Structures are given as structure tokens and as C-alpha cells.
């Protein structure tokens, strides 16, 4: 096995060293708390799924964007791939097909509404670039069934997303929720004679315009006959509405001013009013440039966008998807928020200082041995405090230079330090409050009690 | 897309519905807290690695046990596989190679000792059976470098494992830590003329005896000439030592009674004494049947075993692995504990009641609208409480049958209920303590304050 060969992580994946992992857990923690506070239950599915789960939803073209998976033990699978087949499994590129499969399997028994969130890893076989990796974490929030009032459900998932963004310290000056409705897009396209597959092609072009090469655009244009002019004319039609909404006009008026029927504007207006009613008005803007490329959206669509970045999150209503996977007809809406763009944004806004993401990882105690004699007694004291449920770190060397070891304790963000000095022979130790600075002597049998009081006091003081 | 085709999860993988996920998060939470309290930092790596990371550690035979992965976009990768090559990536079957790679990449900068834990998904292309799935979660705890006293590091990782088991409610009557030392095995084998590859073959046979078919054993025997008689003679040699340790004799004496030199027994005795010194003696037993099949162990080896089940955890010292991955020479030890066997054990022992795993998911408040009038005001009150950081659920229908809705609140394990009744017109609501049963009227502007007091009182009462 001897070798000096250096191994590396696959391109587009990440190694999470302790500080990276602390950031990741902080982000996941904010997502999880927002989800739970908003009444969503956590679920998870397999990391690999049968590949036809994805082709069923997205068509055969998707296999080129997937990491394909097969069992190295299965001769039949290997033979089929060598003969030209796709692999039987794929690493999940998104959670929605798994969610649909899970809902369909227990559609009758599950209490409605089904409010689920998940924070799984996702995998895409594409070229890594800023904001886009091959393996990333994505927060998925979905609201399925049990709702006669879709605008209320749409508002609830958006409120959950905004709840998390607020916790991160972002405000409506940093990101906006851009809202549109697929049915308004459809109606406008129809009026210009664009329907069916050509409509989907138009949406796809609008959604991808900035991201595509000229050649890709030409290829799409040739396939469905949609031209750049169609895209521009669609966007031009809504330019004034977009500006009016951005300047704060209520949606009903915006709709009236560009000649949208009351019926057509009712849903998006209601979603925005519901959110306005709970104080989230300043986060919202009506934005017909946000159409979402995927075929399965049926109503409200939205993206959460920070100036100059890829979307932080995107989602919408997909009322026919559960049925298409063999389930009953069930209304549904949801969104996904990845960790990569969000992480870049939080970093750029200075919202990821060490104090924030290290807060939940602060040791309660750092135990220091000030001599070789007391070092022998350190393990038992450390074990006792850990047994009491405390996060305990300790020095690995003993030295009379206590100041140096207190420096180590500080670098570990410890809340308190216990110094085992000469007083230990008399059953006493020094306890130092590393936030307040005070130091006192404590009898060993009272250590847990005094420590708890000190930690409680720190917590009440909000440190 | 219309279809009534039913999709299923790949065999040997799991769908985690909310209750399953609550159990998983509870288990992960206990693992994480034990790790952090014992001073380990969390890390993570990619789900896929270059396949040669695994063949480097375990030899070319490993590829048959791996889920192999390739990019569906990469023509070269596809062509190579069709031509007979293995895929370029694999789903990780274990975390140690990733850990070794990460340590090697930053060996000079990382503060020592490197104490890391991880709770990643793992994947094995084998036939699913009781206690063994193709996708499972495994807690990995490793202690690398910075330690002149390996027995102290070995004891520290074992103490961390036992700390978690205690939190789950398990005791030394349920599971035992079976400890052995590779060097004792090596010395005994050498005395019987078994060395080198034949020694590894012997270990592998001891480790797998109960699990292998006659045919597999015959194949191994033919390869290295180790027979069942060699295995039995090895085990027979230590039978008395095993019994003496099980009856509570100190390791030094056990060693003396079966003629082991003081030097040979010193390490395992020291590990056991270190653990005994922090009160974990009753968990330990010296067990020469525990050899661990893998080639890379160099000293202490251990498994945590419950009667009649596969091992809950296993690990040991691997002092040459970091070097073999191209890093400096660094001592190391660690263990892995999977979620599948542990979950079965906790379930069988009655240690997974709903109250336990639902505890962290209990809603702070369940808001009930007792009439259509008050239902209109529900969203704003719910949003206000969520903004205050509370976990809030609510009824989705309004009804005068408040008892039925309180039943819903109880089923959701809510701590309190707020009932929006006629008093709402006067700015007041009913607040019910669902643990204590008391109900009182509260002014809306004081709601957060009174609620916080009630929740604090519940927490102090330990509910």
C-alpha cells in the first residue's frame, strides 16, 4: 500500500473541514428551524433512484445530465451498459420525483395537507462554475393536497423561505421574491399565436436567455420556430407591469393597467396580498421575466433573487405532477434553495462571521492541567463533566504557563475554563468565565452546579 | 406524462417518512452531541470519490462491492466503461479513505490531535438482509496524530461511543465493548507458524466464520492454506482468557494466566484501565474472537456487540494508513457505528418510544380558529408567533367543535394551544397548557410574553 500518490476529491465536489462544516450545519440549521416553525415535517429518500423516475418526469434528454450508477457486483447490469444501455440508477439531481413517488405510495393514508421539507444532497453532471457545483445541498419545501385555497398554500411556502432568509440576516433590500403566474404567461403567448410545445420552448428560452450560447439558442429556435423576437415581444408586453409593481403598486391595479382580466390576475394578487397581510409585502415584486423553464409548473411561479447573482431559490405550483406519477389528483407547490448560491451571497454580505456559525459549537468548558500531578486527574474530571452532558475540551499538554493554555481555550471559543492547579489537592479548582473574565475557586463536588449557574447566566445575557 | 406506473425506491434503500426521519434525526442528534461533547469536530466529504481511492486501500477486489458512478454527459467515460473499464467514480462504501485523503491534503496545517467525526451516507452493492442495507448512515469518529500515548486516544474514542450508547438508554447489560489487540493475534499466529498473507487470511476467516457459506470458506482455504482447524486452535488458545476477562479479572492477570508477555498485554490493559478510571469498566471485555478482518489495523481492535446481533460498532488503531495515502507517518484510531443494527437494537429494547424521538419536534403552539370570523385573523397571529421564533402549527379548518381541534393539537404533541374565539374581538385569546391542562385568557399584546413564561416553566419541569 505504500505510495506517495496524492488523491483528490472529484471535480465539483467539496471537502468540508471543520470550519466549512460548521457553516454548512449553520445554514442547514436555519433552514430546518424555519421549516419546523412553519409546520413542515422532515423527510428523506434514497440518494440513488431508478433512472426512469427522472426520465418519466423530464424526458429521455435528462440522462445526459445525470450521474449514472450501477452495481459493480451485478453482471447483468454491467452487460447491459456495455451493450449501450443507460445505467439502472442515477444520483438524484432534484428531490421532487422522490417526493412524488413517496406521496403516491401512501397518498390515501397521509394526513392532509402534506407539508414536507428535506435537505438532501443533489448531483448534476455539468461543468462546475460560480454558484454551480456537481454535488450540492438543497432545501426542498413542499405543500401537497388538502388545500381549497391554493394562494394560501403558495403564500405559506414563500413565507417559510422568507422566514429563513430573515434569520440569515437578509432583508428585502438584499433579495426580492419575484412572482409570476404561468397562466398569465400562457394567455399572453396564446394571444401571439404561441401554444403547446412552442409555448414551453418560449418559456425555456426566456428562462435561459442569459445562460445559453448563441449556438444553443439557434438549435432551440430551429426546433420549435420560436425566435429571439418572440422572447423580446413577450418581455416588452410586461415591461410596464414589472416597473409598476417594483414601484409598489398593488397587483390588482398593475393588472388593470396592462389589460389583464381580473380572473387572470386574481391568483397572483391573492398570493401577494396574503404575504402583505403578514408583513412580507416589501419582499415581493411581480416579475414576468420569471417563468421557470420546467414543464410541470401550472400556476404561481417564483424566484428569490439577489442583484447580480443566480437565483437563490425557485419554485411554484405543480398541480398535475402527483397524478402523472400514478397518484390521485392533488394540488401542490414548493421550492428549492441550494446551499451554493446562498453561501456566496451570505459571504458577500458579511453575514457569515465566525461568531455566528461557531455559536452552537462553543465548548461549555475547557479543562487545563497546570502541572503533571494534576494532569493525571484531568481525564476523570473531563469524563465526569461530559457525562453531565457538557461539551468539554481540554489541553493535551500540562504546563505552568496557564496563560498559553487559556489562549488555546479562547481559540476554541470556550465559554469557561477550569484550571487544575495546586488547590486540587484540597479538592478545589479555579473556574474562569471566559466571556465575563471573572475567576473564582470552586469545590470539586459543587463543580457541576456552579458551572450550570454560570452557563445559564451567560445564556440569559445572550452570549 | 400521464401514466399509472408505480415507482419504487431501489432495493436496499429507504424512504424516510416524517416519523422515520424523526427517529433518524434523534439517532444522529445523540451521535453528534456525544461527538461534540467529547471534543470531536464534524467533517464531511463527497458522496462519490475516484474509484482508485478505494482500490488503493482495499485492493482491486473491492470494485465488485461498490456502486460505480459515471457522468452521463462524458462520452469518454461512457466509451471506457463500454470497452470494459470500471467506472471512474464510486459511491463511498466507508468514510476512512476520504478521511485519510483530507488529512493528507492538509497534514501540516491541521492542529493536532485531529479529532473528527462524520455522519455520512454509505453505499454497498451487496444483497440486503437483516441489519444490512445498500444505503445506510454511519457515524465515524477518528483521532489522528498528536498523541504519544495511543492507549489514551483509543480510550477516548471508545468513551465517545459509550457516551452515545448511554444517552440512548443502553447499559453494559445490553451491549459490551469487546477489545483485543492485533499484535497479540499476530504473536499467537506466528507461534503457530502463520505469518504475512496467511495471517491476514486467518483474521479474515475468524472475522467472517459465522457469515460465510461453506463454498466461500473452501475458496479462501485453498488460496492461503489456512484451515478451519487453524481458526479453532487460535480461538481455543484464548478461550480461558476470554472467560477470565468476562468474569471481571483485570487484564494484567488475564494476560499472565495465559502466558502473554507483559509487553504484549500492556496496551490493551492500559486502554481498559483508562476506561475503568472514568467508570466504564463494566462495559468492557477482552475478546480474542474480535480480530476485525481489514488489513489496516495495527493495534487495539474492538467491536460493540449486543447478544445475538451483528456488531453495533467496530474500530481500532490504524497507524500506517495516513502514510499509505501519501501523508506523513501519523498514529490514528477510530470507529464506525451504522444506523441499521443500532436502530434494530434500540427498537427491540423498547428504547425508541414516540415521546423520545418526537420530543425535539414538539410544536410550541397550536393555533385554533373557533369560528370563520376568527379564522380570517389566524394567519397574521400564526405569522407573528413564527417571527418570534416559535414552532407554530394551526388548524386548517375552523369549527365550533374546539374539542376536536384540541385533539388535533394533542396528536401533533403541541405544548400549548391558542384558541381564537369570541374574545378575539376584545383583543383577547384563550391559552391552554396542553401538558398541565390549565387554560387562561390572555391579551393579544401580551401573548408572546405569557407564552414564553409558560414554555420556560414547562422546560424547567422537564416536559
Amino acid at each position: 500500500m505504500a505510495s506517495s500518490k496524492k488523491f483528490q476529491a472529484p471535480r465539483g465536489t467539496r471537502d468540508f473541514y471543520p470550519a466549512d462544516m460548521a457553516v454548512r450545519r449553520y445554514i442547514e440549521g436555519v433552514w430546518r428551524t424555519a421549516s419546523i416553525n412553519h409546520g413542515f415535517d422532515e423527510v428523506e429518500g434514497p440518494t440513488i433512484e431508478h433512472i426512469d423516475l427522472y426520465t418519466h418526469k423530464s424526458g429521455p434528454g435528462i440522462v445526459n445530465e445525470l450521474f449514472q450508477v450501477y452495481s459493480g457486483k451485478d453482471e447483468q447490469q454491467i452487460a447491459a451498459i456495455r451493450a449501450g444501455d443507460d445505467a439502472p440508477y442515477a444520483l438524484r439531481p432534484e428531490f421532487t420525483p422522490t417526493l412524488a413517488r413517496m406521496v403516491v405510495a401512501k397518498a390515501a393514508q397521509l394526513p392532509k395537507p402534506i407539508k414536507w421539507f428535506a435537505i438532501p444532497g443533489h448531483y448534476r453532471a455539468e461543468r462546475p462554475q460560480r454558484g454551480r457545483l456537481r454535488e450540492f445541498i438543497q432545501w426542498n419545501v413542499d405543500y401537497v393536497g388538502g388545500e381549497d385555497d391554493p394562494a394560501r398554500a403558495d403564500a405559506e411556502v414563500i413565507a417559510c423561505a422568507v422566514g429563513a432568509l430573515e434569520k440569515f440576516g437578509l432583508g428585502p433590500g438584499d433579495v426580492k421574491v419575484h412572482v409570476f403566474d404561468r397562466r398569465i404567461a400562457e394567455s399572453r403567448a396564446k394571444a401571439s399565436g404561441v401554444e403547446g410545445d412552442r409555448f414551453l420552448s418560449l418559456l425555456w428560452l426566456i428562462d435561459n436567455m442569459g445562460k445559453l450560447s448563441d449556438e444553443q439558442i439557434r438549435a432551440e429556435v430551429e426546433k420549435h420556430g420560436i425566435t429571439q423576437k418572440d422572447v423580446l415581444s413577450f418581455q416588452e408586453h410586461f415591461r410596464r407591469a414589472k416597473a409598476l409593481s417594483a414601484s409598489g403598486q398593488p397587483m390588482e391595479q398593475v393588472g388593470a393597467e396592462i389589460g389583464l382580466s381580473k380572473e387572470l390576475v386574481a391568483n397572483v394578487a391573492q398570493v401577494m396580498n396574503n404575504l402583505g397581510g403578514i408583513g412580507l409585502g416589501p419582499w415581493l415584486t411581480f416579475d414576468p421575466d420569471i417563468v421557470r423553464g420546467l414543464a410541470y409548473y401550472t400556476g404561481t411561479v417564483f424566484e428569490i433573487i439577489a442583484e447580480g447573482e443566480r437565483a437563490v431559490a425557485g419554485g411554484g405550483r405543480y398541480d398535475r405532477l402527483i397524478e402523472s406519477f400514478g397518484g390521485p389528483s392533488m394540488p401542490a407547490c414548493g421550492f428549492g434553495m441550494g446551499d451554493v448560491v446562498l453561501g456566496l451571497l451570505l459571504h458577500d454580505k458579511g453575514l457569515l462571521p465566525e461568531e455566528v456559525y461557531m455559536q452552537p459549537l462553543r465548548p461549555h468548558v475547557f479543562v487545563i492541567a497546570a502541572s503533571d500531578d494534576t494532569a493525571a486527574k484531568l481525564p476523570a474530571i473531563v469524563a465526569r463533566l461530559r457525562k453531565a452532558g457538557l461539551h468539554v475540551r481540554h489541553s493535551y499538554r500540562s504546563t505552568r504557563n496557564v496563560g498559553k493554555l487559556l489562549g488555546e481555550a479562547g481559540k476554541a471559543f470556550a465559554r469557561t475554563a477550569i484550571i487544575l492547579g495546586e488547590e486540587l489537592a484540597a479538592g478545589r479548582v479555579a473556574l474562569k468565565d471566559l466571556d465575563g473574565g471573572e475567576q473564582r475557586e470552586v469545590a470539586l463536588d459543587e463543580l457541576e452546579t456552579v458551572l450550570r449557574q454560570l452557563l445559564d447566566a451567560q445564556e440569559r445575557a445572550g452570549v
Side-chain angles (χ1 to χ4, degrees), chain A:
Chain A
M1 277 205 315
S3 151
S4 68
K5 182 172 175 186
K6 293 270 181 185
F7 293 94
Q8 294 190 329
R11 204 160 56 95
T13 70
R14 288 172 287 180
D15 288 335
F16 291 86
Y17 286 88
D20 314 312
M21 196 61 192
V23 171
R24 172 166 158 186
R25 289 300 187 200
Y26 164 70
I27 289 175
E28 291 175 347
V30 169
W31 284 345
R32 179 168 292 118
T33 303
S35 312
I36 291 171
N37 285 2
H38 284 79
F40 291 86
D41 292 319
E42 191 169 12
V43 296
E44 238 293 27
T47 308
I48 55 172
E49 293 274 8
H50 290 292
I51 204 166
D52 58 358
L53 189 74
Y54 302 118
T55 53
H56 177 75
K57 171 164 174 271
S58 307
I62 187 84
V63 299
N64 299 325
E65 293 160 36
L66 298 175
F67 279 107
Q68 301 192 23
V69 180
Y70 62 95
S71 162
K73 184 169 246 136
D74 193 315
E75 296 297 341
Q76 268 185 311
Q77 290 181 9
I78 296 170
I81 295 165
R82 291 201 177 138
D85 279 2
D86 285 313
Y89 314 110
L91 284 169
R92 73 181 150 212
E94 53 158 337
F95 191 69
T96 312
T98 298
L99 176 121
R101 183 176 62 61
M102 286 175 66
V103 167
V104 169
K106 301 206 173 179
Q109 303 99 288
L110 291 165
K112 315 290 178 312
I114 299 165
K115 289 176 66 178
W116 283 353
F117 77 99
I119 308 184
H122 293 290
Y123 309 84
R124 288 184 189 165
E126 55 189 354
R127 218 162 55 84
Q129 46 189 289
R130 181 175 162 89
R132 224 165 241 249
L133 293 175
R134 289 173 150 194
E135 174 169 17
F136 58 98
I137 316 297
Q138 187 170 291
W139 178 33
N140 296 273
V141 173
D142 291 275
Y143 188 123
V144 181
E147 184 58 74
D148 334 315
D149 181 353
R152 186 165 89 168
D154 294 347
E156 202 160 328
V157 303
I158 293 173
C160 180
V162 172
L165 297 176
E166 276 184 320
K167 270 284 171 210
F168 286 122
L170 292 165
D174 303 307
V175 289
K176 281 272 188 309
V177 185
H178 296 242
V179 187
F180 194 37
D181 187 316
R182 267 293 175 86
R183 290 160 297 191
I184 300 177
E186 203 169 0
S187 155
R188 173 63 208 157
K190 198 170 169 185
S192 336
V194 175
E195 289 182 82
D197 278 354
R198 295 181 71 236
F199 171 57
L200 291 179
S201 173
L202 174 68
L203 294 183
W204 190 83
L205 279 171
I206 294 173
D207 198 42
N208 288 287
M209 215 32 133
K211 308 166 203 162
L212 297 175
S213 68
D214 288 353
E215 195 186 338
Q216 284 173 304
I217 292 177
R218 255 196 312 274
E220 181 67 23
V221 163
E222 269 171 33
K223 208 154 68 185
H224 296 289
I226 299 294
T227 66
Q228 202 146 355
K229 218 181 111 207
D230 294 316
V231 171
L232 291 176
S233 130
F234 179 94
Q235 291 179 320
E236 189 52 40
H237 178 80
F238 289 109
R239 196 157 314 278
R240 194 149 150 265
K242 185 171 169 166
L244 288 170
S245 176
S247 75
Q249 272 213 30
M251 199 50 228
E252 291 85 349
Q253 255 170 277
V254 172
E257 294 211 27
I258 64 157
L260 287 176
S261 75
K262 269 194 185 164
E263 291 70 36
L264 212 47
V265 90
N267 168 67
V268 69
Q270 191 58 48
V271 171
M272 291 174 86
N273 288 339
N274 287 345
L275 289 164
I278 59 170
L280 302 184
W283 293 80
L284 304 173
T285 191
F286 175 71
D287 186 353
D289 291 334
I290 300 307
V291 295
R292 309 285 295 155
L294 298 169
Y296 67 78
Y297 288 111
T298 55
T300 308
V301 282
F302 66 95
E303 285 184 9
I304 301 179
I305 301 177
E307 201 84 25
E309 283 284 359
R310 287 168 190 278
V312 173
R317 178 154 287 280
Y318 52 95
D319 285 347
R320 288 191 287 272
L321 190 74
I322 301 298
E323 198 172 356
S324 83
F325 273 89
S329 167
M330 284 176 111
C333 64
F335 70 84
M337 183 185 296
D339 74 323
V340 183
V341 175
L342 176 68
L344 290 171
L345 178 65
L346 294 178
H347 189 265
D348 290 350
K349 298 271 176 191
L351 293 171
L352 280 181
E354 204 173 23
E355 306 87 79
V356 164
Y357 63 78
M358 289 305 291
Q359 185 63 25
L361 297 173
R362 294 189 66 186
H364 296 113
V365 195
F366 194 97
V367 185
I368 288 168
S371 73
D372 289 346
D373 280 1
T374 60
K377 302 209 167 123
L378 181 142
I381 293 173
V382 166
R384 206 178 101 184
L385 295 171
R386 282 178 179 158
K387 193 149 184 166
L390 295 172
H391 173 184
V392 187
R393 307 229 161 180
H394 58 87
S395 58
Y396 285 86
R397 298 154 298 148
S398 66
T399 159
R400 297 210 166 265
N401 187 348
V402 171
K404 194 175 145 108
L405 296 180
L406 281 173
E408 260 185 53
K411 260 177 67 183
F413 293 99
R415 296 177 171 281
T416 69
I418 291 173
I419 303 152
L420 308 182
E422 284 166 12
E423 343 54 271
L424 188 58
R428 302 180 70 76
V429 299
L431 171 62
K432 190 172 167 66
D433 179 346
L434 294 177
D435 278 329
E438 212 183 298
Q439 180 170 329
R440 60 184 126 174
E441 238 185 72
V442 181
L444 258 185
D445 2 337
E446 289 170 6
L447 191 54
E448 281 91 337
T449 316
V450 177
L451 203 44
R452 284 276 181 212
Q453 283 166 355
L454 179 54
L455 294 168
D456 282 354
Q458 284 188 356
E459 203 185 311
R460 277 195 304 278
V463 274

